[in-house]
Each structure stands twice: as structure tokens, then as C-alpha cells.
């Protein structure tokens, strides 16, 4: 609901293409399929294609490149395909000849980069819409989730001393550090590795599944999200802001949200 009125028409086209890793691939998207088929191009095919491309007029080159990239991006028709095409055209129209040839050769790489930009713009719009409704007191928090009596993780970790269940879902190296810290804290009653897309999530402008649910001996419930330095800052920022909004609406005397960054010391009151 927070994305329904989004439009690309007035959005910026600032994207850094300088650090892309190129790969020579052709994309074929059948009408009855959602995902593109990939075919690595031979040197002969690359030369033949560039010869054809170089013989096009400048306007024809821009249109060829735009259609190719927009066709890769447009799978879900949201935003509408016309808006995607117009947005891609605004970007491609600023390219010089060298960049244009690179974009048409490596259309999948450029499409992925532009898609990331579009997704970021949509998330920013949804977040702004959500926060405005929070401020207007049109969104409230209420108890609605109950932890399952048992869990059956497909891949589970060794038994931890104070985990909620006999077996907890397997954790990565970063999450292992957090779990180990939670196990060693005297004021933690129990903790649980929250299973992504299966258990509790904060349903805001994004569905955020925090990594851990923790109950303290004083009764306070904590949501803990583990993040590393290699993670995209915009993703971390959105999750942190949503988590803190949840904390405020749920009641900060009973619920808290923490984001733990790699190498940070974990201190929980």
C-alpha cells in the first residue's frame, strides 16, 4: 500500500557505472517466461553485433540500448513498463559513445545497476509514506504474534545453553558471534534465531525479519539484527529506522530493537 502511487517521472537518474564488472551475455526473454535466458556471446557474435550497432544512427543506438535494458528490467510491470522505458531513456541519453557501446554490450550488468536504483527509489518513497502515516497516528502496533510451540529447522545449529528451542536454525559467522554473546550474558533468559520469511517480521514499508528474538530476565523483549561492514548502508539504515519505529509504537519499556554491526561490542541492558 505504501508503493501504489510511486512514479519514476520526477526521480533522479544519478547512478555510478564506473565500478561495474562487465560480462558479455545476450538476453532472451520469451513472452511466456518471467526470467531471462542467458547466452554467453562468442567473439564473432560480439563483432557482428557491434558492427550492426555502429551502423545505426545516434538516435537508433540510444533506442536499441534503451529497449534492451528496459526489457531486462521490466518483469513485474511495477512501475509500469512505459515509466521504466522512459526512465532508462533519460539515463541512456546522457551516455557518450564509449559508454553507450559498453551498455549495449553489457546490458545485463547495466540493467541490474539501474534496477537497484529503481528499487532504492521505491523503498525511499514507501518509507516516506509509511513514516508520514506514523506521524499522523494512522498506524499503530498491537500484539499479534505467538512463537510456535516447536520449530523444525532444515539446517540447525548445535545446542546452545540458553536458546529457546532444542535446535536453532543454522547461523552464519557474523550471527554466530551474536549468538555466542547472547549465550554468555547473565541477564538473558532465552534467545531464538528468528527464521527469515517463516516467523516474526516487522510489517512496515518493508517486511523486516530480525535475526534474533531475545527475552531478558526483567521481561523485556529485544529484537536483534546482525549486520556486517560489507552490507549496503541504505538497507541497514531502513531496517534500523523501521526497528526503532516499531520499538516506539510497541512500547520501549517492554520492547527494544538493536542493530549490531560487525566488530561492535555487544552490550544489552
Amino acid at each position: 500500500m505504501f508503493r501504489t502511487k510511486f512514479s519514476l517521472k520526477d526521480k533522479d537518474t544519478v547512478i555510478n557505472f564506473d565500478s561495474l564488472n562487465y560480462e558479455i551475455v545476450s538476453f532472451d526473454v520469451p513472452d511466456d517466461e518471467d526470467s531471462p535466458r542467458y547466452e554467453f556471446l562468442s567473439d564473432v557474435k560480439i563483432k557482428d553485433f557491434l558492427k550492426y550497432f555502429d551502423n545505426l544512427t545516434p538516435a537508433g543506438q540510444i533506442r536499441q540500448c534503451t529497449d534492451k535494458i528496459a526489457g531486462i528490467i521490466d518483469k513485474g510491470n511495477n512501475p509500469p513498463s512505459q515509466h521504466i522505458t522512459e526512465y532508462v531513456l533519460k539515463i541512456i541519453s546522457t551516455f557518450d559513445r564509449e559508454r553507450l557501446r559498453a551498455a549495449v554490450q553489457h546490458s545485463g550488468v547495466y540493467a541490474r545497476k539501474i534496477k537497484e536504483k529503481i528499487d532504492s527509489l521505491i523503498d525511499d518513497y514507501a518509507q516516506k509514506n509509511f513514516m508520514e502515516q506514523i506521524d499522523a497516528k494512522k498506524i499503530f502496533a498491537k500484539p499479534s504474534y505467538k512463537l510456535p510451540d516447536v520449530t523444525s529447522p532444515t539446517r540447525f545449529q548445535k545446542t546452545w545453553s540458553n536458546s529457546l528451542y532444542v535446535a536453532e536454525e543454522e547461523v552464519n559467522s557474523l550471527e554466530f558471534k551474536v549468538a555466542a554473546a547472547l549465550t554468555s550474558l547473565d541477564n538473558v533468559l532465552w534467545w531464538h534465531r528468528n527464521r527469515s520469511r517463516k516467523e516474526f517480521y516487522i510489517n512496515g514499508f518493508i517486511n523486516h525479519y530480525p535475526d534474533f528474538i531475545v527475552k531478558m530476565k526483567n521481561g523485556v523483549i529485544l529484537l536483534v539484527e546482525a549486520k556486517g561492514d560489507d552490507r549496503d548502508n541504505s538497507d541497514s539504515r531502513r531496517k534500523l529506522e523501521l526497528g526503532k519505529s516499531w520499538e516506539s509504537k510497541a512500547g520501549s519499556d517492554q520492547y527494544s530493537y538493536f542493530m549490531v554491526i560487525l566488530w561492535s561490542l555487544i552490550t544489552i541492558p
Side-chain angles (χ1 to χ4, degrees), residues 128-193:
K128 181 176 181 294
N129 191 356
F130 177 81
M131 292 304 182
E132 286 175 351
Q133 294 195 44
I134 286 280
D135 293 340
K137 302 187 184 303
K138 294 181 179 180
I139 295 177
F140 303 90
K142 62 180 181 180
S144 60
Y145 183 79
K146 181 179 182 297
L147 285 164
D149 293 332
V150 296
T151 62
S152 301
T154 304
R155 302 179 65 181
F156 58 88
Q157 199 72 28
K158 68 175 185 178
T159 302
W160 298 86
S161 61
N162 62 343
S163 60
L164 181 60
Y165 298 98
V166 174
E168 295 286 348
E169 184 173 76
E170 187 176 52
V171 295
N172 61 34
S173 58
L174 172 60
E175 294 161 353
F176 185 92
K177 295 176 185 292
V178 178
L182 293 173
T183 298
S184 67
L185 293 172
D186 293 335
N187 53 350
V188 171
L189 181 62
W190 55 255
W191 62 267
H192 168 53
R193 172 65 171 92

Side-chain angles (χ1 to χ4, degrees), residues 6-13 79 82-83 86-87 90:
F6 175 80
S7 174
L8 281 169
K9 286 187 176 181
D10 59 345
K11 300 301 184 290
D12 76 87
T13 58
Q82 179 182 354
H83 292 175
E86 291 173 352
Y87 184 74
K90 285 170 61 178

